[in-house]
Amino acid sequence: DGSGGPAAPGPPSAVRGGTSGASSAAADEVRFVGLAARLRPWIRELEVREAEDAECAAVMVEVSRAYWRARRALACGPLTHRLRQLVAESVEVTQGDGGRRGSDGLGAAAAVGRCCAEALFACRSETQLHAAFFTPPPASAPRPPVAPELETLAYPLLDVLRPLVLGLKHVSALCAVVQVLDTDAIAEASRVQSAGGGGGSGGADVAAGAAVESLLTRLLGDARERLTFRIQAAIRDEVRAFDHNSTAAVSAIALISGQPLTGHPSATATAVGAEAGPDGRTATAGLANTGGGAAPPGERWYPTLRVGLMLLSQAYACLPRTVFEGISQEVLEACTASLLSAASRHAAQAAPRESRLLLISQLLVLREQIAAFDSAFAVTTKALDFSATRAMLRDLTGRRPHGSSAVPASAVGGGVLSRVLDLLQRSAPSVVSTQSDAKGSLDAELRRTCEAFIRDTSAPATKPILDLLTAAQEERGPTAPAAALPSASALDACFAKAEAAVEHNVATAYARMSAYLPQPSTQAILFTPIKSSIFDAYGRLATLLNATGAAEAHEQRLRALAARLETVTTPPSGAAPT
């Protein structure tokens, strides 16, 4: 450019413009380069003398201020115009609907990326122009002195992008913006800063990179705050306020239970997007097939569960660890409460067993999915308890001095002083810690529901036998060596009830459980305690029959009952594996 300095890098092709604002800025820059060629000898002389001459130092300060005032007046307007033009070109669809249409907020992310590239280019151009007038700062300087001036000059970047970011409503659009800022724009500014520190252009690129990185860090903080707010709003609107009587809820329950609605379209929900977290792991790694069969993962998830896991995946990839800890606890708590409400609503329209199986299947999915996130899903809240302080203040202002009302002033003063000392020594507020463990609550609810299902399934098959054993024990005399043999009619009634319970209750429960939980391993874990409880009752009945000498008469029937229980969990021959 005729100034003796290195040429400024050209802008990316995506941000080159032929507008009048850009042409005017380029013409002003050319005029400044010509002015630098005439003023550079005088400025160099001032730089040489400013260390020894206070007057030269003062003149040098005023020259630098005048330079930056002129550059702000000439460059900020065109930069603002170019940035607004880039936003208008990129987010025509995004503006007005929060990124819900078009490419789901990718227009906003593209606008942010292009604006950041344009601002970085403008700052690098300014450092090159500044180097034509003044001696560049050393590359080893941690923060070059021109960086604050460049930050002020590039402030239109925040003025243009902050309203765009704060106006986004859709979580996926904000996630796209956060990822562009964090992984692309700030990384590029840091790279420019590091490359400038290695030589070549001296501290020029260091200053440009530092200025843009500072602005983008602030914008990234705003974007993350907005993302946190929108995630909390989504939890409130799409999870906590979900209508469990809606068509989506009814069709989801029908699909989960293995009984699709006739003529109803299949669920179109897909699995949670596998987004890499800050540590490089996939947030949905080890996806559970609890809702399984041949259906894609996530297709048999309840709508609020799907939304909650999606929010967790997005927050895990875009928010700092400390913020994610609080958000994850809130999401898990809301999802658990929503599933409990869905099961309660389902219990009013179907058998209690159906609601328990629905809750078990979805809580298992939730517990298995959150294992991929590096979080305790618990938060500890600390607060100050001022109850002791209030009590002491009440005592200080409400009590009179001991003795009669005619107390010397010195005594009154001494009593007040004593109570003030007590206030300072014994009434300090205490710290109260409260922990909210959403994962512990989830595990407790899952355990309670599984125990209820096991108890309700095994009770009809074991109760006739246990009642018979209890009656036989009560009939035994105080000196009898063993329990009395029940009557033949009592034994026949016991066997009939036990056989009916296995056939109609246990077998039906296993079939319904298989529909909700198609995975054989999950079925075995949940049904093994039921079989153990029933076989234990059979064993106690066999012991009674052996003790009374009636084993041969009833052994065949007891064996048939045990064999029928075994066939309940055996798939029919020729059946396709689950």
Side-chain angles (χ1 to χ4, degrees), residues 314-340:
Q314 292 170 327
Y316 188 73
C318 299
L319 293 180
R321 172 65 181 271
T322 54
V323 180
F324 177 76
E325 288 287 345
I327 288 292
S328 63
Q329 185 270 340
E330 188 174 353
V331 171
L332 186 58
E333 192 176 65
C335 285
T336 304
S338 176
L339 293 177
L340 288 172

Short mmCIF file of all heavy atoms in Angstrom, two decimals, residues 314-340:
data_model
loop_
_atom_site.label_atom_id
_atom_site.label_comp_id
_atom_site.label_asym_id
_atom_site.label_seq_id
_atom_site.Cartn_x
_atom_site.Cartn_y
_atom_site.Cartn_z
N GLN A 314 -28.76 -31.12 24.20
CA GLN A 314 -28.36 -29.80 23.71
C GLN A 314 -27.64 -29.01 24.80
O GLN A 314 -26.63 -28.33 24.54
CB GLN A 314 -29.60 -29.05 23.23
CG GLN A 314 -30.21 -29.66 21.98
CD GLN A 314 -31.57 -29.08 21.64
OE1 GLN A 314 -32.34 -28.71 22.52
NE2 GLN A 314 -31.88 -29.00 20.36
N ALA A 315 -28.13 -29.08 26.03
CA ALA A 315 -27.47 -28.36 27.12
C ALA A 315 -26.08 -28.93 27.39
O ALA A 315 -25.13 -28.19 27.68
CB ALA A 315 -28.32 -28.43 28.39
N TYR A 316 -25.94 -30.24 27.27
CA TYR A 316 -24.65 -30.89 27.54
C TYR A 316 -23.59 -30.43 26.55
O TYR A 316 -22.41 -30.29 26.90
CB TYR A 316 -24.84 -32.40 27.46
CG TYR A 316 -23.64 -33.21 27.89
CD1 TYR A 316 -23.29 -33.31 29.23
CD2 TYR A 316 -22.87 -33.90 26.97
CE1 TYR A 316 -22.21 -34.07 29.63
CE2 TYR A 316 -21.79 -34.67 27.36
CZ TYR A 316 -21.46 -34.75 28.70
OH TYR A 316 -20.38 -35.49 29.09
N ALA A 317 -24.01 -30.19 25.32
CA ALA A 317 -23.05 -29.81 24.28
C ALA A 317 -22.72 -28.32 24.30
O ALA A 317 -21.66 -27.93 23.79
CB ALA A 317 -23.59 -30.19 22.90
N CYS A 318 -23.58 -27.48 24.88
CA CYS A 318 -23.44 -26.04 24.69
C CYS A 318 -23.26 -25.23 25.97
O CYS A 318 -22.88 -24.06 25.88
CB CYS A 318 -24.66 -25.49 23.94
SG CYS A 318 -24.89 -26.18 22.29
N LEU A 319 -23.53 -25.80 27.12
CA LEU A 319 -23.47 -25.02 28.35
C LEU A 319 -22.28 -25.44 29.21
O LEU A 319 -21.85 -26.61 29.15
CB LEU A 319 -24.76 -25.21 29.16
CG LEU A 319 -26.03 -24.64 28.54
CD1 LEU A 319 -27.22 -24.90 29.46
CD2 LEU A 319 -25.90 -23.15 28.25
N PRO A 320 -21.74 -24.53 30.01
CA PRO A 320 -20.65 -24.91 30.92
C PRO A 320 -21.11 -25.95 31.93
O PRO A 320 -22.31 -26.11 32.20
CB PRO A 320 -20.29 -23.58 31.61
CG PRO A 320 -20.85 -22.51 30.74
CD PRO A 320 -22.05 -23.09 30.07
N ARG A 321 -20.14 -26.65 32.50
CA ARG A 321 -20.45 -27.75 33.41
C ARG A 321 -21.29 -27.28 34.60
O ARG A 321 -22.26 -27.95 35.00
CB ARG A 321 -19.15 -28.39 33.89
CG ARG A 321 -19.31 -29.43 34.99
CD ARG A 321 -20.08 -30.64 34.50
NE ARG A 321 -20.26 -31.61 35.55
CZ ARG A 321 -19.42 -32.59 35.80
NH1 ARG A 321 -18.32 -32.72 35.06
NH2 ARG A 321 -19.64 -33.46 36.76
N THR A 322 -20.94 -26.15 35.19
CA THR A 322 -21.67 -25.69 36.37
C THR A 322 -23.13 -25.38 36.04
O THR A 322 -24.03 -25.66 36.84
CB THR A 322 -20.99 -24.45 36.96
OG1 THR A 322 -20.84 -23.45 35.93
CG2 THR A 322 -19.61 -24.80 37.50
N VAL A 323 -23.37 -24.80 34.87
CA VAL A 323 -24.75 -24.49 34.47
C VAL A 323 -25.49 -25.78 34.12
O VAL A 323 -26.67 -25.95 34.47
CB VAL A 323 -24.76 -23.52 33.27
CG1 VAL A 323 -26.18 -23.21 32.83
CG2 VAL A 323 -24.03 -22.24 33.63
N PHE A 324 -24.81 -26.71 33.46
CA PHE A 324 -25.46 -27.96 33.09
C PHE A 324 -25.90 -28.76 34.31
O PHE A 324 -26.93 -29.45 34.27
CB PHE A 324 -24.51 -28.80 32.23
CG PHE A 324 -25.07 -30.15 31.86
CD1 PHE A 324 -26.04 -30.26 30.87
CD2 PHE A 324 -24.66 -31.29 32.52
CE1 PHE A 324 -26.58 -31.50 30.54
CE2 PHE A 324 -25.19 -32.54 32.20
CZ PHE A 324 -26.14 -32.64 31.20
N GLU A 325 -25.14 -28.69 35.40
CA GLU A 325 -25.51 -29.42 36.61
C GLU A 325 -26.91 -29.00 37.07
O GLU A 325 -27.74 -29.84 37.40
CB GLU A 325 -24.48 -29.16 37.72
CG GLU A 325 -23.14 -29.84 37.51
CD GLU A 325 -23.20 -31.33 37.75
OE1 GLU A 325 -24.19 -31.80 38.34
OE2 GLU A 325 -22.27 -32.03 37.34
N GLY A 326 -27.16 -27.70 37.12
CA GLY A 326 -28.47 -27.24 37.55
C GLY A 326 -29.56 -27.56 36.55
O GLY A 326 -30.66 -28.00 36.92
N ILE A 327 -29.27 -27.37 35.25
CA ILE A 327 -30.27 -27.65 34.22
C ILE A 327 -30.60 -29.15 34.19
O ILE A 327 -31.77 -29.53 34.06
CB ILE A 327 -29.75 -27.19 32.84
CG1 ILE A 327 -29.75 -25.66 32.75
CG2 ILE A 327 -30.59 -27.77 31.72
CD1 ILE A 327 -31.14 -25.05 32.73
N SER A 328 -29.60 -30.01 34.31
CA SER A 328 -29.85 -31.45 34.23
C SER A 328 -30.74 -31.91 35.38
O SER A 328 -31.64 -32.74 35.18
CB SER A 328 -28.52 -32.21 34.26
OG SER A 328 -27.83 -31.99 35.49
N GLN A 329 -30.52 -31.36 36.57
CA GLN A 329 -31.36 -31.72 37.71
C GLN A 329 -32.80 -31.28 37.47
O GLN A 329 -33.75 -32.02 37.76
CB GLN A 329 -30.80 -31.09 38.99
CG GLN A 329 -31.52 -31.48 40.25
CD GLN A 329 -32.66 -30.56 40.58
OE1 GLN A 329 -32.71 -29.43 40.10
NE2 GLN A 329 -33.60 -31.03 41.39
N GLU A 330 -32.97 -30.09 36.91
CA GLU A 330 -34.31 -29.58 36.65
C GLU A 330 -35.02 -30.40 35.57
O GLU A 330 -36.21 -30.70 35.70
CB GLU A 330 -34.22 -28.11 36.23
CG GLU A 330 -35.54 -27.40 36.12
CD GLU A 330 -35.39 -25.92 35.83
OE1 GLU A 330 -34.25 -25.42 35.85
OE2 GLU A 330 -36.42 -25.27 35.57
N VAL A 331 -34.30 -30.76 34.51
CA VAL A 331 -34.90 -31.57 33.43
C VAL A 331 -35.31 -32.94 33.96
O VAL A 331 -36.43 -33.43 33.69
CB VAL A 331 -33.92 -31.71 32.26
CG1 VAL A 331 -34.44 -32.72 31.25
CG2 VAL A 331 -33.70 -30.37 31.58
N LEU A 332 -34.43 -33.58 34.72
CA LEU A 332 -34.72 -34.92 35.22
C LEU A 332 -35.91 -34.89 36.19
O LEU A 332 -36.77 -35.78 36.15
CB LEU A 332 -33.48 -35.50 35.91
CG LEU A 332 -33.58 -36.95 36.36
CD1 LEU A 332 -33.91 -37.86 35.19
CD2 LEU A 332 -32.28 -37.40 37.03
N GLU A 333 -35.94 -33.90 37.02
CA GLU A 333 -37.06 -33.77 37.97
C GLU A 333 -38.38 -33.56 37.23
O GLU A 333 -39.40 -34.17 37.57
CB GLU A 333 -36.78 -32.60 38.91
CG GLU A 333 -37.68 -32.50 40.10
CD GLU A 333 -37.27 -31.37 41.02
OE1 GLU A 333 -37.35 -30.20 40.59
OE2 GLU A 333 -36.85 -31.64 42.15
N ALA A 334 -38.38 -32.70 36.21
CA ALA A 334 -39.60 -32.44 35.45
C ALA A 334 -40.04 -33.68 34.67
O ALA A 334 -41.25 -33.98 34.59
CB ALA A 334 -39.38 -31.26 34.50
N CYS A 335 -39.10 -34.41 34.08
CA CYS A 335 -39.45 -35.61 33.32
C CYS A 335 -40.05 -36.68 34.23
O CYS A 335 -41.04 -37.34 33.87
CB CYS A 335 -38.22 -36.16 32.60
SG CYS A 335 -37.73 -35.22 31.14
N THR A 336 -39.45 -36.87 35.40
CA THR A 336 -39.98 -37.86 36.33
C THR A 336 -41.40 -37.50 36.76
O THR A 336 -42.29 -38.36 36.78
CB THR A 336 -39.07 -37.96 37.56
OG1 THR A 336 -37.73 -38.28 37.14
CG2 THR A 336 -39.55 -39.05 38.50
N ALA A 337 -41.61 -36.23 37.09
CA ALA A 337 -42.95 -35.80 37.49
C ALA A 337 -43.95 -35.96 36.35
O ALA A 337 -45.10 -36.35 36.56
CB ALA A 337 -42.91 -34.35 37.96
N SER A 338 -43.53 -35.67 35.11
CA SER A 338 -44.43 -35.81 33.97
C SER A 338 -44.80 -37.27 33.73
O SER A 338 -45.96 -37.58 33.43
CB SER A 338 -43.77 -35.21 32.72
OG SER A 338 -44.56 -35.40 31.58
N LEU A 339 -43.84 -38.18 33.86
CA LEU A 339 -44.14 -39.60 33.67
C LEU A 339 -45.07 -40.11 34.76
O LEU A 339 -45.94 -40.96 34.50
CB LEU A 339 -42.84 -40.40 33.65
CG LEU A 339 -41.92 -40.13 32.45
CD1 LEU A 339 -40.62 -40.93 32.58
CD2 LEU A 339 -42.61 -40.47 31.14
N LEU A 340 -44.90 -39.63 35.98
CA LEU A 340 -45.82 -40.01 37.05
C LEU A 340 -47.24 -39.54 36.74
O LEU A 340 -48.22 -40.26 36.97
CB LEU A 340 -45.34 -39.43 38.38
CG LEU A 340 -44.09 -40.09 38.98
CD1 LEU A 340 -43.60 -39.30 40.19
CD2 LEU A 340 -44.37 -41.52 39.38
#
